[in-house]
Amino acid sequence: MTNPAARPAGAGRREWIAFTVLLLPLLLVSMDVSVLYFAIPAITRELDPTATQQLWIFDSYAFALAGLLITMGSLGDRIGRRKLLLIGATAFGLASVTAAYATSAEMLIAARVLLGVGGATLMPSTLALVRNLFQDDKQRGKAIAIWSGAMTGGIALGSVMSGVMLNHFWWGSVFLINVPAMLLLLALVPVLVPEFKDPAPGRFDLLSVPLSTAAVLPVVYGLKEIAAEGFTPLYAGCLAVGLAFGYAFVRRQRTRDDAMVSRALFRSRAFGAGIGLNTIAAFAMMGSAYFTTQYLQSVLGMGTLEAALWSLAPSVVIGAAAPVSAVLAQKTDRAHVIAGGFVLAAAGFALIGLVGTDSLWLLLTGAGVLASGIVTVMSLVSDMALGAAPAEKAGSAASLLETGQEFGGALGMAVLGSLGTAVYRSDLAGSEPAVRETLGGAAATAGELGGAAGGQLLTLAREAFVHGMQYAAWGGTVLLLAAALLAAALLRGRGAAAPAAPGAAERAAAGEALAR
């Protein structure tokens, strides 16, 4: 007979309400990635930033977020995930107010950096707390599926929310929408969410903090700039510097007992495989978004708000994909569902590869199919990796997953963007430099020419862009099919990820609950 006391206790209403509260910071952090899309013209008129400052207003948030994820995940394991979540929520709220009332470009950039620091505390803390709240495998799988869908939907929602707010208020309002949610979080989390931390974390390795940041930031920066500007020695040097620091960081983690990233995390093949497959999924998601947003605006000629509203259409399918994948993973081998998710995403890329210069519905269908497959993969591999990690190291595990996503997204934009740009420039080989550089440059030149000549140039440029997008989509298709084979090989016969033994933090929490 099975001892019922040996089974993990199922989460009740209190845990699910707590989980709903934890979705608030997740939505806001993901929305802040895209919330400035509509606000930048108003910010430019008000604060008069230079071209470089304008770029940093956009990018400083993402760079601070990516560079500190590993540090904050490890810190949460040591001081407590709930405590770090509350600290991060306070910082995020204060930074939002500072950004809303910034009086100079420098002040806004500093506020965006602080927002990134706050976001780096919130992201791994929320995912780690989900791991701790839901000890039952089925419930945790369902919760992480919802978590993955909310994160993906938040990015799309941010640009639309920005457009709606700017239709009624000044540009700072796009930041102030964070404040009520953070106040609600600060009020409810201490009541609903128990504290979890590693009871014996060891010393905090301070030297690993700059090493991890120096490993992540140059690589993410170099990849983003290669996607936007093309391959140059400067950006190649950034990649080399980041990889060198990455080597030093990994070597330090492998030789120290108080390492920031515990070696215990990688004792299960499911954890390492989960990070790798999650990175590939992020590669495909951001690589496709690089083209679809430009297609809506520059090929179909939509305004920014109209394009943002149309880009929400695939989110309808995403909302159903993650829960369905969680149910399928409970009924069949998880390896098959993950491989199937990659195949589904590959089919979406293949549909995008058939898009012409006037194929809105085909593009949206392809984007929806691709996103459904990617969210399926992300939710299942995240659950698999977290379930395989020791519970007391859940913060570090969550931060590694999210850092992999940052790398994958930047790499997707760089590789697929470079492939599409190479085809675009090849098709317009005889044109002037401004036309060959970007589709936006071609549109500006066509506007100056006007008449039939301008119209013909714009048509040629749009066809060249779509041609490049098709090549990138077929490249993505091949990559995702290879990822499906890789997932099936790595996870063959393993079924659902074996749950980790209850960690010391969970045992202590259970003991406290029984004592009460």
Side-chain angles (χ1 to χ4, degrees):
M1 295 180 64
T2 302
N3 180 9
R7 297 196 198 104
R13 181 182 300 176
R14 182 187 180 91
E15 286 79 11
W16 283 106
I17 294 174
F19 170 69
T20 304
V21 173
L22 291 176
L23 290 180
L24 282 174
L26 174 67
L27 278 171
L28 293 175
V29 170
S30 56
M31 283 171 58
D32 258 46
V33 173
S34 56
V35 77
L36 285 184
Y37 285 172
F38 294 135
I40 202 66
I43 291 173
T44 301
R45 290 193 300 269
E46 184 83 16
L47 303 182
D48 192 26
T50 64
T52 301
Q53 287 174 332
Q54 189 176 106
L55 287 175
W56 279 108
I57 289 171
F58 267 112
D59 292 338
S60 56
Y61 172 79
F63 290 151
L65 178 69
L68 290 172
L69 280 170
I70 294 176
T71 297
M72 294 305 180
S74 178
L75 184 62
D77 288 342
R78 285 168 165 77
I79 69 171
R81 289 147 206 164
R82 185 182 71 177
K83 182 183 293 185
L84 186 64
L85 179 67
L86 294 174
I87 293 171
T90 303
F92 202 84
L94 292 174
S96 297
V97 174
T98 304
Y101 293 101
T103 56
S104 67
E106 293 84 357
M107 185 176 176
L108 181 56
I109 291 169
R112 290 282 286 171
V113 171
L114 185 55
L115 280 167
V117 174
T121 67
L122 297 172
M123 291 288 281
S125 296
T126 55
L127 187 53
L129 285 168
V130 170
R131 164 70 174 89
N132 296 130
L133 285 172
F134 299 97
Q135 298 181 40
D136 177 75
D137 291 345
K138 292 183 179 180
Q139 290 184 326
R140 188 182 64 243
K142 184 184 298 184
I144 291 179
I146 297 171
W147 190 92
S148 300
M151 181 182 65
T152 306
I155 297 174
L157 186 60
S159 58
V160 176
M161 182 66 73
S162 171
V164 171
M165 295 295 290
L166 288 169
N167 279 339
H168 299 89
F169 306 103
W170 96 111
W171 63 266
S173 63
V174 302
F175 296 107
L176 288 184
I177 57 177
N178 297 332
V179 177
M182 289 302 161
L183 291 174
L184 185 64
L185 188 75
L186 290 170
L188 294 180
V189 164
V191 178
L192 294 171
V193 180
E195 182 62 284
F196 297 96
K197 62 180 178 180
D198 188 345
R203 293 186 304 167
F204 188 69
D205 182 14
L206 289 175
L207 183 56
S208 287
V209 175
L211 280 178
S212 66
T213 303
V216 173
L217 281 185
V219 174
V220 173
Y221 174 76
L223 291 173
K224 283 181 176 289
E225 292 304 309
I226 288 172
E229 305 291 339
F231 193 86
T232 68
L234 173 62
Y235 304 143
C238 288
L239 297 182
V241 168
L243 291 174
F245 277 110
Y247 174 79
F249 175 74
V250 171
R251 185 176 178 84
R252 185 173 180 83
Q253 304 313 295
R254 295 181 65 180
T255 56
R256 291 183 65 89
D257 293 333
D258 59 345
M260 179 182 288
V261 178
S262 172
R263 293 185 293 277
L265 291 172
F266 294 92
R267 288 173 185 160
S268 169
R269 189 172 67 178
F271 182 77
I275 291 179
L277 296 173
N278 202 43
T279 301
I280 295 173
F283 177 104
M285 179 67 84
M286 296 306 296
S288 66
Y290 176 84
F291 289 98
T292 54
T293 53
Q294 291 188 72
Y295 181 91
L296 292 173
Q297 294 182 73
S298 299
V299 177
L300 297 183
M302 293 183 181
T304 312
L305 180 57
E306 183 185 5
L309 289 170
W310 276 111
S311 68
L312 280 178
S315 301
V316 177
V317 187
I318 294 172
V324 168
S325 66
V327 172
L328 289 175
Q330 294 164 12
K331 296 181 177 180
T332 187
D333 192 327
R334 181 174 300 194
H336 297 159
V337 184
I338 292 173
F342 275 122
V343 171
L344 183 63
F349 251 141
L351 289 174
I352 294 174
L354 300 175
V355 165
T357 55
D358 188 18
S359 306
L360 172 62
W361 288 106
L362 182 58
L363 176 81
L364 294 178
T365 301
V369 172
L370 186 148
S372 298
I374 292 302
V375 170
T376 294
V377 171
M378 283 184 163
S379 62
L380 292 181
V381 298
S382 297
D383 180 40
M384 178 182 69
L386 284 175
E392 55 267 25
K393 303 296 182 184
S396 295
S399 68
L400 289 172
L401 277 167
E402 288 155 0
T403 301
Q405 286 183 5
E406 294 291 331
F407 275 126
L411 189 62
M413 289 190 291
V415 173
L416 296 184
S418 297
L419 176 57
T421 299
V423 175
Y424 173 83
R425 290 174 178 172
S426 176
D427 285 359
L428 297 175
S431 303
E432 58 184 89
V435 174
R436 294 181 64 246
E437 191 66 27
T438 63
L439 179 55
T445 303
E448 293 172 2
L449 286 175
Q456 184 178 10
L457 174 61
L458 186 57
T459 298
L460 289 174
R462 286 173 172 170
E463 290 174 348
F465 176 85
V466 170
H467 192 203
M469 183 176 74
Q470 291 169 345
Y471 267 80
W474 287 112
T477 302
V478 172
L479 173 70
L480 292 178
L481 290 175
L485 295 175
L486 179 65
L490 287 176
L491 307 176
R492 182 185 303 161
R494 298 177 69 87
E506 284 177 345
R507 292 194 297 270
E512 291 173 6
L514 288 172
R516 289 196 295 269

